[in-house]
Amino acid sequence: MNILRSGLATLLFGTILFGPLPAQAQSYLLPGTPEKGLWLEVSHPEVEAFEVTVPSTAWYASGRYPVAQRLWGVAEIPFAYGKVDGPAIPELEGGAVLGNPYIGMEYSASDRVRVEAGARLPLTTADEFSFGDVVGFLADPLRGEAFMQDVVPLSSAVTFSHSLDSGVKLQARTGVTSMIWRGDDELGETMTALDYGILAHYPRGLARFGGGLTGRWDVSAEEDGFSENSLHQVGLNGDYQFGRFRPGLNLRVPLDKEYRDLVSASVGVYLQVSLP
């Protein structure tokens, strides 16, 4: 690995705690997706350490389809492109990277409780010279495993939902992810993380508005405490329905100083499509 990219990797994986990461098939800070449909998310990180071009984005193409009563199959294909703005830097010339696809199942235990489990297949095209995976990692750190090499993330989670008389829908999510190291060297190890979050959505006619907080705690870390081994984000979103289509905007802001010093925010757009 070249020196500059090695330094970035150290910053990302060490200082900011990018170890085990939740393997869900959409950002938890986005509103609910169709029970039967497709959705596309695009996110651009505002990086403080260096300026990336506007086209530098992470893409997630996902879908959900019912396979039995109260049971759905879910899949996602991540893709990222990264390039630094300004004078060309050989180590950061940029390029496109295909990430690790996600395959999972969701089960509705009741109207208020949904259980999910899934894994990412280690098929990324990222290598020590690519930069698209770095942009993808920065764009959504709670799905950074979508672009990580030499790991197999296995995850399970449960989501609790409650609707208020005002129409506001509240959701709380908790889950566990194990990151299984499959590299050849002895530097890696299997790690475990606790994922959690709370979200609120308010429908207003054909529009929806929402926001929430999500975080992750590396419970397998043997040193330091919760504050040093956890990462949190807040997010806002809004969308509008046009028939089967629902385009929207979202904003995510990191709360932890170490990560906020590197990325001030991630801005994005998404499109959900309901299938008949």
Side-chain angles (χ1 to χ4, degrees):
M1 181 182 293
N2 60 64
I3 295 176
L4 181 52
R5 198 174 189 282
S6 178
L8 284 172
T10 301
L11 183 61
L12 295 177
F13 289 87
T15 306
I16 314 171
L17 181 73
F18 292 107
L21 301 158
Q24 65 238 36
Q26 76 166 87
S27 170
Y28 183 65
L29 291 175
L30 289 183
T33 47
E35 297 289 278
K36 181 181 179 182
L38 307 170
W39 57 94
L40 177 67
E41 306 167 45
V42 184
S43 184
H44 170 76
E46 296 292 338
V47 182
E48 297 292 332
F50 47 86
E51 189 171 355
V52 297
T53 61
V54 173
S56 296
T57 47
W59 297 63
Y60 304 90
S62 311
R64 177 186 289 111
Y65 195 86
V67 296
Q69 187 176 9
R70 293 182 174 270
L71 185 66
W72 294 263
V74 183
E76 175 205 272
I77 299 177
F79 170 86
Y81 172 80
K83 186 174 177 61
V84 175
D85 201 3
I89 304 175
E91 293 86 347
L92 299 179
E93 281 295 328
V97 168
L98 181 67
N100 299 312
Y102 172 86
I103 299 178
M105 302 294 292
E106 295 181 1
Y107 175 71
S108 179
S110 70
D111 292 340
R112 294 187 177 184
V113 180
R114 178 167 294 202
V115 181
E116 63 187 84
R120 286 192 180 274
L121 307 179
L123 301 176
T124 181
T125 60
D127 57 30
E128 64 268 30
F129 301 107
S130 60
F131 185 59
D133 54 319
V134 175
V135 171
F137 213 102
L138 293 172
D140 190 351
L142 296 185
R143 270 192 295 180
E145 84 284 1
F147 300 98
M148 290 177 64
Q149 304 172 53
D150 299 323
V151 293
V152 179
L154 305 177
S155 67
S156 59
V158 58
T159 300
F160 304 91
S161 302
H162 178 68
S163 296
L164 304 178
D165 294 338
S166 61
V168 174
K169 183 177 181 179
L170 302 177
Q171 287 185 321
R173 182 179 185 272
T174 183
V176 175
T177 296
S178 292
M179 299 286 290
I180 301 175
W181 176 256
R182 58 185 296 272
D184 295 332
D185 57 62
E186 299 179 355
L187 296 178
E189 60 181 6
T190 296
M191 297 174 287
T192 302
L194 176 65
D195 179 38
Y196 46 89
I198 186 168
L199 194 65
H201 288 294
Y202 178 58
R204 187 73 174 177
L206 296 177
R208 290 186 304 183
F209 304 94
L213 165 71
T214 186
R216 184 199 65 236
W217 176 23
D218 181 3
V219 296
S220 62
E222 298 180 355
E223 299 179 357
D224 301 320
F226 172 78
S227 60
E228 290 80 13
N229 293 303
S230 60
L231 177 69
H232 302 86
Q233 291 184 111
V234 293
L236 297 173
N237 60 73
D239 57 40
Y240 193 87
Q241 183 177 353
F242 298 92
R244 297 185 182 276
F245 300 89
R246 186 179 283 276
L249 303 172
N250 71 285
L251 170 69
R252 294 191 303 272
V253 178
L255 294 181
D256 304 271
K257 184 179 184 303
E258 292 82 0
Y259 180 58
R260 193 172 62 247
D261 288 344
L262 180 61
V263 178
S264 59
S266 291
V267 295
V269 297
Y270 59 91
L271 174 65
Q272 300 178 0
V273 182
S274 298
L275 298 178

